[in-house]
Amino acid sequence: METLHFDTKAIHGSVSKPDVHRSIRYPVYAGVAYDFETAEDIEAAFAWRKPAHSYSRISNPTVEAFERKISTLEEGFGSVALSSGMAAISNVLLNLLKQGDNLVASRFLFGNTYSLLESTLPSLGIETRFVDITQPAEVEKAVDENTRLIFLETITNPQMIVPDVTSLVEIARAHKLVVVVDGTVTTPYLFQAKNRGVDIVVHSTTKFISGGATSIGGVVVDLGNFDWGDYSNLVDYRRFGQGAFIARLRKEVYRNLGACMAPQTAYLQSLGLETLSLRVDRSCQNALKIAEFLQGHKGVLNVHYPGLPSSRFHKVAEEQFKGRFGGVLSFDLYDKKIAFEFLNRLKLIRRATNLNDNVSLVLHPASTIYCDFSAEERAEMAIGDGLIRLSAGLEDAADLMADIQQAMDGIR
Amino acid sequence: MELTVNGHGIETVPGITVADFLKSQDVESPDMVSVELNEEVIPRQAYGTLVLKDNDRIEYLYFMGGGAI
């Protein structure tokens, strides 16, 4: 059974205990607490010697079924599901970093992640050293004796920059750093993080994984590549061996912060995994068609999409993501006024702040996700005033392109 | 052969591996268990080949699941 293919694993998963009624899909356990047969049993559970669920903020059978399915798809060591993608990122960083530590991170990140690293972590005495993640020499130069990890996204949004993960893993290995990757937009279907040497992968499961924006969620996966034996912040968990990262997360950080995934969400997201590859393939096809359509279109200054051969990230993306390039693209119009006019004229594509929905979505990043940053900071992050982000849904590409065309035609 | 398991004395057959011992103790989900043998964490890959000896001390802990809170 080790040789099952991705789609088969996405449907059948790997449950720890079959449902008592042999339900085809693992049911929703909406309850909070669980009964123990004896006092000795609950004592064993609290002493970490019995794998029982005791309280749904800590673990839940439906959430566990989702976690096991994710671990199977990532070929990972273990997973923890959370209430959102941002909860996943913040839990990982608080599990691995303490006051006085620093991390090296891409300068180009999702706006809320950037804010976490730039504003929230420094208030806890944790420094982020922002670098151009596509320049390995710059990354290595930022590392010192207090650096613990490198953080990056597989494809940045909305800049559509693709780091060469292999070269970053080499730097991390040389300095005994953990590599943490946000793989939301590529999912385990396009990017097999374990085989690339990544240590921890996080996903906002709200996006592709949820089945198309059915629910908010996140997940953390320890891929089993990092030896936690000497990792200073996990010293109290050394007795868990390779399980040290997951053990501290589950038994301390995740427990204490309380950002658990709801069982109803886990059910929807397990269902979403069943159709993941079909939706990702369609979305990637649509994004490529739209990018080709926009390239050279009158009024479009630049198109940012690694699927275009003209992109400087085309080669690395093709190699890292199995010849697909994600479902999101961005493009520059002349200025904010023109960008707003374009957005307001769209009839089919919706103006909304999400990605990888079944519905195509469009957004003006400078006035939304990045509105709290100064013009100078936005310029540093390559967020121009005329930049538009488009997340290609699953509609017929011809209809999406017709909508874009009519919106462009109406601009004065 | 006598072992000390999670602080309690247990009789078991000689020549038993860690994996077979966990099975004999009805340890659920051995893939979610870490094992200390005489206070040394042993890698999961060794469970199937490492043979236990008389008077060995074993501690096993679950790092997944939710009971341990």
Side-chain angles (χ1 to χ4, degrees):
Chain A
M1 297 296 275
E2 287 298 314
T3 56
L4 291 179
H5 292 84
F6 186 91
D7 286 338
T8 310
K9 290 192 284 189
I11 288 171
H12 291 277
S14 158
V15 293
S16 56
K17 289 179 187 171
D19 172 54
V20 291
H21 299 291
R22 301 180 67 84
S23 168
I24 297 294
R25 290 188 176 77
Y26 206 83
V28 176
Y29 279 79
V32 171
Y34 304 83
D35 182 32
F36 287 80
E37 203 165 337
T38 67
E40 287 77 9
D41 281 347
I42 196 167
E43 180 189 42
F46 273 65
W48 310 346
R49 286 173 181 147
K50 185 178 175 63
H53 300 285
S54 61
Y55 190 68
S56 282
R57 173 165 55 80
I58 316 303
S59 73
N60 170 282
T62 315
V63 177
E64 183 191 5
F66 174 65
E67 291 167 343
R68 289 184 71 96
K69 199 181 248 195
I70 289 282
S71 291
T72 303
L73 293 173
E74 292 280 10
E75 299 178 14
F77 182 82
S79 303
V80 176
L82 298 100
S83 56
S84 71
M86 286 308 302
I89 293 169
S90 53
N91 271 251
V92 166
L93 297 179
L94 292 175
N95 205 39
L96 291 175
L97 300 167
K98 65 177 186 313
Q99 186 177 23
D101 289 342
N102 70 64
L103 69 150
V104 176
S106 170
R107 187 177 297 130
F108 306 111
L109 291 171
F110 168 56
N112 295 170
T113 307
Y114 187 90
S115 174
L116 172 71
L117 270 54
E118 194 253 352
S119 300
T120 312
L121 290 187
S123 70
L124 302 173
I126 298 165
E127 178 198 357
T128 302
R129 298 174 172 192
F130 291 104
V131 296
D132 180 347
I133 206 78
T134 65
Q135 301 298 319
E138 193 177 323
V139 173
E140 189 144 31
K141 197 175 166 193
V143 173
D144 70 8
E145 69 277 9
N146 294 320
T147 307
R148 297 284 171 263
L149 63 89
I150 298 175
F151 183 92
L152 61 140
E153 296 169 353
T154 50
I155 305 177
T156 73
N157 131 51
Q159 304 91 347
M160 311 310 298
I161 289 166
V162 182
D164 176 358
V165 176
T166 304
S167 67
L168 296 168
V169 167
E170 281 173 14
I171 293 169
R173 288 291 164 270
H175 296 276
K176 295 188 174 177
L177 307 178
V178 184
V179 179
V180 181
V181 169
D182 183 338
T184 298
V185 296
T186 43
T187 81
Y189 175 56
L190 296 188
F191 181 68
Q192 287 283 302
K194 183 186 175 79
N195 297 339
R196 295 279 167 183
V198 172
D199 302 305
I200 304 292
V201 68
V202 295
H203 298 286
S204 166
T205 58
T206 311
K207 312 301 187 301
F208 271 132
I209 288 176
S210 76
T214 65
S215 46
I216 301 276
V219 71
V220 173
V221 188
D222 179 352
L223 297 157
N225 285 334
F226 197 86
D227 178 3
W228 302 111
D230 295 327
Y231 195 85
S232 59
N233 295 353
L234 297 178
V235 69
D236 293 341
Y237 292 82
R238 272 188 191 149
R239 57 198 309 229
F240 289 93
Q242 190 53 49
F245 172 85
I246 292 287
R248 185 185 185 210
L249 188 61
R250 178 76 71 184
K251 298 172 195 306
E252 186 182 330
V253 176
Y254 172 85
R255 180 197 67 178
N256 293 352
L257 296 181
C260 58
M261 177 178 276
Q264 293 84 352
T265 296
Y267 181 85
L268 289 171
Q269 305 216 346
S270 289
L271 202 58
L273 283 173
E274 295 185 11
T275 56
L276 179 66
S277 70
L278 300 171
R279 290 179 288 103
V280 171
D281 278 341
R282 177 61 173 261
S283 176
C284 291
Q285 288 163 11
N286 280 355
L288 180 59
K289 285 178 186 171
I290 294 168
E292 288 169 343
F293 169 73
L294 288 170
Q295 200 173 38
H297 196 285
K298 187 184 158 196
V300 177
L301 305 181
N302 298 294
V303 181
H304 311 283
Y305 186 63
L308 295 173
S310 57
S311 164
R312 69 185 174 106
F313 304 109
H314 182 70
K315 198 174 164 191
V316 67
E318 187 170 44
E319 195 271 324
Q320 280 183 172
F321 310 135
K322 302 180 184 173
R324 298 171 189 81
F325 303 94
V328 181
L329 63 131
S330 60
F331 53 97
D332 294 302
L333 299 181
Y334 185 72
D335 59 14
K336 180 179 174 182
K337 179 176 171 291
I338 299 286
F340 271 34
E341 203 168 337
F342 170 73
L343 292 180
N344 291 337
R345 286 181 177 278
L346 289 168
K347 293 176 178 170
L348 191 62
I349 301 172
R350 312 292 280 271
R351 292 161 289 274
T353 178
N354 191 24
L355 298 172
N356 305 139
D357 195 325
N358 300 334
V359 178
S360 290
L361 306 175
V362 72
L363 191 72
H364 180 249
S367 62
T368 56
I369 300 169
Y370 294 88
C371 68
D372 292 334
F373 296 101
S374 67
E376 292 74 25
E377 285 172 318
R378 283 200 298 271
E380 272 186 26
M381 291 184 276
I383 309 295
D385 282 347
L387 185 71
I388 301 280
R389 182 184 81 184
L390 194 153
S391 171
L394 311 185
E395 303 94 332
D396 192 304
D399 294 330
L400 297 173
M401 290 186 284
D403 193 28
I404 293 168
Q405 183 66 59
Q406 67 79 25
M408 293 280 194
D409 288 345
I411 295 173
R412 286 155 292 170
Chain B
M1 181 170 89
E2 181 149 334
L3 304 173
T4 303
V5 181
N6 292 343
H8 302 288
I10 284 184
E11 280 287 331
T12 188
V13 293
I16 195 167
T17 63
V18 172
D20 286 340
F21 175 74
L22 293 175
K23 209 179 292 176
S24 75
Q25 294 295 298
D26 293 329
V27 170
E28 299 169 54
S29 309
D31 59 323
M32 295 181 178
V33 167
S34 68
V35 177
E36 275 184 353
L37 178 60
N38 302 323
E39 295 173 17
E40 288 277 321
V41 177
I42 57 173
R44 194 191 288 182
Q45 307 88 288
Y47 291 3
T49 53
L50 191 61
V51 175
L52 298 173
K53 301 186 300 295
D54 196 24
N55 296 320
D56 272 348
R57 284 167 289 119
I58 295 182
E59 295 268 330
Y60 61 83
L61 296 169
Y62 286 90
F63 56 84
M64 289 291 282
I69 302 299

